[in-house]
Amino acid sequence: MRNITWYVHRLKAMRFGEILWRTQQKFLQRKEYKKYYTQNLPVTEIVINSATSALSPDYLRIGLEQSCTNTELFSSLDLFQGSFSYQQYKKSWNAGFQTENTWDENTFSYKINCAGRIDIGDIRTNWELNRHYQFSALAKSYYVSGEKSFLDELTDLFQDWNHHNLFLHGVEWTSAMEIAIRVNSWIFTYCFLCMAEKKHGVEYSITNLKNQLIHGVLVMTDYISAHLSRFSSANNHLIIELYAIAMSGILFNCKRWKETSLKQLTEELVRQNYKDGVNKEMSLHYQTFIMEAYGLLMLTMEKNEIKIPDIWYTYISKMSEFVADCCGDYGETIVFGDNDEGKILDLTGKHFNHYHYVLELMSCVLPQKYNKTVGFYENIRWMVSREQLCRTKKKSAYVSPDAKCYREGGYTLIKDQKRGIFIAIDHADLGYGTLAAHGHADALSFQLFFRGVPVFVDPGTYNYHVPQGFRDKFRSTQEHNTICIDRKNQSEICGPFLWGKRHQVMNTEFSIKENVFLLKSKIKYDDSFHTRTILIKDNETFEITIFDEIKLSYKPQIIEQVFMLGSMCTILNNRILCKDNFIDIESTAKRNCQKNEYSEVYNQLLPNTKLFYTVSDVREHTAKIKTSIKFKES
């Protein structure tokens, strides 16, 4: 029944043009089955047309800094902050990860269903290994050190991957965006090998590997061009795909790739982002994901004297402001919506703070700087000259205000006078386009950090597919710090990346007067209205009053005001203990607690307490809950 419902809503999300396009894609897939799949060849041996094969690469166009210093030699690839061992999985290209089962490497890619495969595992987890960050990191390490062991390991891994992942065989060819990230890794691998040849001398193994890489990049770029995400699927995926085509266009000086991709990237930047700097997917992670692509491309365009459209500076400056505003003074970051820890470039294999890295990247390409550090991240030191880093350090710094309301984007961010308390309130739409693929049912929820410690938390993502039910749980209304009516969602979940009926934001008001902040926002769903008023007084003590008014067209069984506590917080009667500090919390409704869990890192869970205040005797279809929160420092 769930599958039928999914198909019905998926068709509703499409217009006639999309249905026609998807039909054309099916015919294209049949042709590709005969032309490529039946050949049983790796991507490095696929025959390409004469126009494409005539293209000539020049690694200098990517413009890596050959004198980069303070680099790390590759030792291991971090897989979701230690969730899985790289040494255990380094050649397990088709591992399920969450189970001992594997994805079949011989099936035609278009015949594989990757979603919800609890019998195998979460496909996003598998794709991390197959984005080939380790390839570029190994090539870099060989260039820096001259140690042949790095080149030998790279060659061994490269040949093994191509042996087990023939073109259009298996799950590694099911997503054009994943291929695009792989293209980026292969381009950087090629550039480092070219630099290594110049530094350490020519070896047959390097020349052969370079030729295979370049051939693969040409085939994959052509393939991406024919399979761009479109219509309802044209979200961050399309931007990453276009980025890869643009980078290939610059590497090969291919006019058609450059012109087509840059034109569409300009269109998508405006289409997928609000003017105030908030990405319409309602996910800070996916915002910085696409910002990284634009930032890396802008650096490469500058080196090749390709004009960067003025509108890129306008939009990306605003987007950088929003990301900077979401970062607190203690290293914390407020993140709503999905977060699968995706990135474009990784030249070390080690985990790094993607939000701060992207802000540092933006500091190098925009008139202002948005991060305290400049040149801290190795990726950037390879892409930016010492002279440009010095100029970046001298730029004026953007300073986040104590409070800012993004009315169009739908978020309000407030820091107290001491900048120790950081609260963010969500009054945004569900997500982008007809799918809203990465949004959560979290309208009017909030998050709060105290001196960098999470007090009231977002449930996170955990992962996209395994175990069954977790995807829906972590996106659900009852797992967010908002009102939940009869344990139903504000918006209708129809699939892992698909929503049906959505909540509507009716209006939002925000004001500041003498250290008093007032936010009032109203939403509608299922003929019910929820108005949340948040009053914040920042005087001798920091006080938050949350007043929820719910008006319904029916008599509900139960209304819950949810507070998801961070893992370092415990509840003691009407107090929350946060390290050595007490936070008083009192409500007009009945208090309840239960053990729960949330996710700060993809594939990892943390235990926590779910505090919720309930009203079960609702009269005249109206309910009101008032809760006060007071901070007392030790």
Side-chain angles (χ1 to χ4, degrees), residues 441-468:
D442 58 0
L444 305 189
S445 68
F446 75 100
Q447 297 179 50
L448 188 146
F449 285 79
F450 180 50
R451 294 176 180 169
V453 177
V455 179
F456 300 113
V457 299
D458 185 87
T461 303
Y462 184 58
N463 76 39
Y464 288 145
H465 298 288
V466 179
Q468 190 172 22

Side-chain angles (χ1 to χ4, degrees), residues 115-361:
R117 295 296 299 272
I118 59 175
D119 57 322
I120 301 177
D122 171 60
I123 188 61
R124 167 65 186 96
T125 305
N126 170 276
W127 281 337
E128 185 74 3
L129 185 68
N130 291 277
R131 291 179 171 183
H132 294 170
Y133 306 124
Q134 66 272 42
F135 288 8
S136 52
L138 283 164
K140 177 211 73 176
S141 297
Y142 174 61
Y143 164 69
V144 170
S145 69
E147 294 180 20
K148 198 168 182 297
S149 58
F150 291 114
L151 177 61
D152 292 341
E153 184 175 357
L154 169 60
T155 303
D156 181 44
L157 290 174
F158 184 80
Q159 302 301 345
D160 190 74
W161 187 87
N162 280 287
H163 175 72
H164 288 284
N165 296 280
L166 302 178
F167 189 52
L168 298 189
H169 291 60
V171 294
E172 311 314 333
W173 302 101
T174 57
S175 166
M177 186 191 76
E178 292 302 318
I179 299 171
I181 297 174
R182 194 177 308 137
V183 163
N184 189 68
S185 294
W186 285 30
I187 287 174
F188 278 85
T189 303
Y190 169 78
C191 291
F192 279 116
L193 290 178
C194 289
M195 290 158 58
E197 265 191 340
K198 186 176 179 181
K199 183 177 181 180
H200 305 301
V202 178
E203 287 194 25
Y204 170 76
S205 58
I206 294 184
T207 302
N208 185 46
L209 185 54
K210 280 170 49 186
N211 290 338
Q212 289 180 309
L213 283 162
I214 281 305
H215 190 94
V217 168
L218 287 171
V219 174
M220 289 189 285
T221 304
D222 251 349
Y223 178 84
I224 296 166
S225 299
H227 293 273
L228 287 171
S229 299
R230 294 187 62 192
F231 298 100
S232 60
S233 298
N235 55 4
N236 67 86
H237 285 227
L238 177 57
I239 289 174
I240 306 307
E241 292 155 11
L242 293 169
Y243 160 80
I245 295 171
M247 291 294 284
S248 290
I250 293 172
L251 176 65
F252 292 97
N253 195 28
C254 177
K255 184 178 179 180
R256 71 177 188 275
W257 284 346
K258 286 189 290 185
E259 290 184 352
T260 302
S261 58
L262 293 177
K263 179 178 181 295
Q264 289 188 64
L265 280 167
T266 301
E267 294 168 353
E268 292 305 317
L269 183 63
V270 176
R271 183 177 290 121
Q272 295 193 33
N273 299 282
Y274 290 113
K275 290 182 180 179
D276 64 1
V278 179
N279 181 260
K280 293 180 182 179
E281 293 219 58
M282 301 305 157
S283 159
L284 188 73
H285 161 70
Y286 279 103
Q287 173 154 340
T288 56
F289 188 48
I290 66 167
M291 287 171 68
E292 181 186 5
Y294 279 101
L296 292 171
L297 184 54
M298 289 167 79
L299 287 173
T300 311
M301 290 168 71
E302 285 178 349
K303 292 170 183 175
N304 289 271
E305 298 182 347
I306 299 172
K307 179 174 170 51
I308 298 169
D310 291 340
I311 200 165
W312 286 29
Y313 290 105
T314 301
Y315 267 80
I316 297 174
S317 292
K318 287 294 183 182
M319 293 168 73
S320 299
E321 287 183 14
F322 176 65
V323 175
D325 290 345
C326 288
C327 296
D329 290 14
Y330 288 78
E332 72 276 27
T333 305
I334 297 281
V335 180
F336 287 100
D338 278 345
N339 177 8
D340 70 2
E341 301 193 38
K343 56 198 169 188
I344 310 298
L345 181 66
D346 180 0
L347 297 177
T348 66
K350 296 185 177 181
H351 171 73
F352 54 87
N353 187 311
H354 193 261
Y355 305 106
H356 291 180
Y357 154 65
V358 168
L359 288 176
E360 186 172 299
L361 178 61

